[in-house]
Amino acid sequence: MAIERKQWKSAIVIAATAWMAVLFGFAPSEATAEYGDVVMNEYSDEAGMRPVVFPHWFHRIRFRCKVCHADLGFKFQAGGNDINMLKIIDGEYCGACHNGDVAWSVENCDLCHSGKAGTPTQVHESTLQKLIMPAGGAPKK
Amino acid sequence: MRKRTTPYFECALLTLALGWSAVVMAQNWRKLESDGLHDPGSEAVKVLQDPAEAMSQLPPDTAGNKVDWIRALQGGYIKPRSALRGEKEYEVLDGDVLMNIGGSTPAVLFPHKPHTQWLDCKNCHEGLFQSKAGATPITMEKILQGEYCGVCHGAVAFPLTECNRCHSVRQMDAIKRVRGTP
C-alpha cells in the first residue's frame, strides 16, 4: 500500500513536470505578431510622416506570397523597392490594391504611416535582427 | 514507522502546471498600440485589426508569429487568393529535395509542395536558387545573413532558430534514399 502511494505521488510529479516542459515550448515569452512586419522609412521621416508599417500576417491571410512578390514585383527586401507615393497613386506597388477598389485608398495616410518616428527600414523581429545585430542596434537597410 | 505527510510539493506542482496551462492557453499577441512598432498616437492603432483577433483563430505554432501558416493554408483556415482579383492557375510542385547529404548535421529535406502553394516558381528559380540540385552554394553563414532560405526564413517564415525543421533527415536515411535502397 505504501509503495503504491509513493508510486502514485511520483507519477504526479513526473506528469506535472513533463506537462510543464511540453507547455514551455508554447511559452508566450514573447508574443510576436509583428514578426514579419516591414518598416519602410525611406522618405517618411524626412517628409514629416510616420514610417510605414506593413503587416505581412494580415496580407498573407488574404493573398498568397506570389501575388505581390511575383505579379506585382515586390522584391524580397525591406527598402529594396524604392516605393514612393507617386508610384502608389499611379497604381504600382501598394497602389495596385490600395485604390479604393480592392482595399482602402491612399487618402487614409495614417493607416499605413503608423510607425514610431525614427524607426529605420527593416523586417521587424527577424532572426537576423535578433541574433546577428548588436543589442539595441538597428539594422541598416 | 511510516510518515504520513500532506503532499504539499505535489499539490504545488499540480497547481503550477494547471496555472501554466492557463497562461499558455491565453496566449495573446501584443496589441498594435503596445507592440513597440506602431506609434500609440496614430489613428491606425484604433482602426486596424489587432493581430490576436485574426491569429488566435489559426493553427498555433511555437515560433515566429506563433501561427502555423502551412497548416492554416492546407487545412483551409485561410483562403488566400492567387491573384489580385479572384483566382488564377498556378503550378504546385510536389517534390522533395534532400540537401546537406554527408554533412555533420542531419540532412535537409526541402518540400516543394508547401513552398509552391504560397510562391511562384520564379520567386526562387533561377535567381535565388538554381533548379539543378547541388548547383547553389548554400551555407548556413549565408542563410544567417539573409540569403537563400534566409530571405524568408527568419523574416516571414519560421525562424532560423528552428534548426531541425529543415535538418530533419538522419544522414543514414538520407544516403539510403539517394542510393535508392530501402
Side-chain angles (χ1 to χ4, degrees), chain A residues 6-141:
Chain A
K6 209 174 173 184
Q7 279 177 337
W8 185 76
K9 276 166 70 177
S10 21
I12 290 183
V13 172
I14 292 168
T17 313
W19 180 234
M20 280 197 290
V22 167
L23 288 180
F24 198 72
F26 297 93
S29 50
E30 243 186 330
T32 47
E34 64 278 16
Y35 175 84
D37 278 6
V38 177
V39 180
M40 283 166 272
N41 195 357
E42 308 303 290
Y43 309 109
S44 300
D45 268 352
E46 285 172 49
M49 291 295 289
R50 295 185 180 97
V52 171
V53 179
F54 170 83
H56 260 109
W57 66 264
F58 184 92
H59 290 84
R60 72 186 297 181
I61 290 174
R62 289 153 181 83
F63 295 97
R64 291 169 204 255
C65 316
K66 68 182 99 199
V67 176
C68 299
H69 290 292
D71 299 351
L72 295 184
F74 279 96
K75 288 181 193 148
F76 294 126
Q77 195 198 347
N81 291 289
D82 196 28
I83 304 169
N84 60 44
M85 284 313 300
L86 205 61
K87 292 181 187 172
I88 293 173
I89 291 164
D90 270 350
E92 291 181 61
Y93 298 113
C94 323
C97 289
H98 287 280
N99 50 13
D101 178 15
V102 180
W104 37 266
S105 66
V106 289
E107 289 94 66
N108 300 287
C109 316
D110 288 342
L111 295 190
C112 297
H113 289 273
S114 59
K116 286 184 177 168
T119 312
T121 297
Q122 59 177 291
V123 183
H124 191 67
E125 291 281 349
S126 66
T127 307
L128 206 68
Q129 193 185 38
K130 282 183 146 175
L131 297 184
I132 314 289
M133 300 300 160
K140 294 191 179 69
K141 65 169 176 178

Side-chain angles (χ1 to χ4, degrees), chain B residues 66-134:
Chain B
K66 308 286 172 79
V67 170
D68 185 335
W69 291 99
I70 301 301
R71 262 204 315 136
L73 179 64
Q74 293 180 347
Y77 294 86
I78 56 173
K79 293 180 179 63
R81 293 186 198 171
S82 56
L84 272 190
R85 289 175 179 77
E87 298 295 321
K88 70 173 187 184
E89 289 277 308
Y90 60 92
E91 190 187 354
V92 173
L93 181 65
D94 193 0
D96 293 344
V97 181
L98 279 171
M99 289 176 278
N100 183 42
I101 296 167
S104 53
T105 48
V108 171
L109 189 147
F110 170 84
H112 263 106
K113 191 177 170 188
H115 289 88
T116 48
Q117 287 175 327
W118 285 107
L119 291 154
D120 194 278
C121 309
K122 70 179 178 199
N123 282 139
C124 299
H125 302 301
E126 302 287 330
L128 287 174
F129 297 97
Q130 299 296 308
S131 293
K132 190 173 147 43

Side-chain angles (χ1 to χ4, degrees), chain B residues 4-5 49 55 82 90 123 135-136 145 160 163-165 171:
Chain B
R4 271 186 165 277
T5 53
Q49 184 182 36
M55 289 159 94
S82 56
Y90 60 92
N123 282 139
T136 314
Q145 287 170 34
L160 298 171
C163 315
N164 51 19
R165 290 198 199 178
Q171 287 294 347

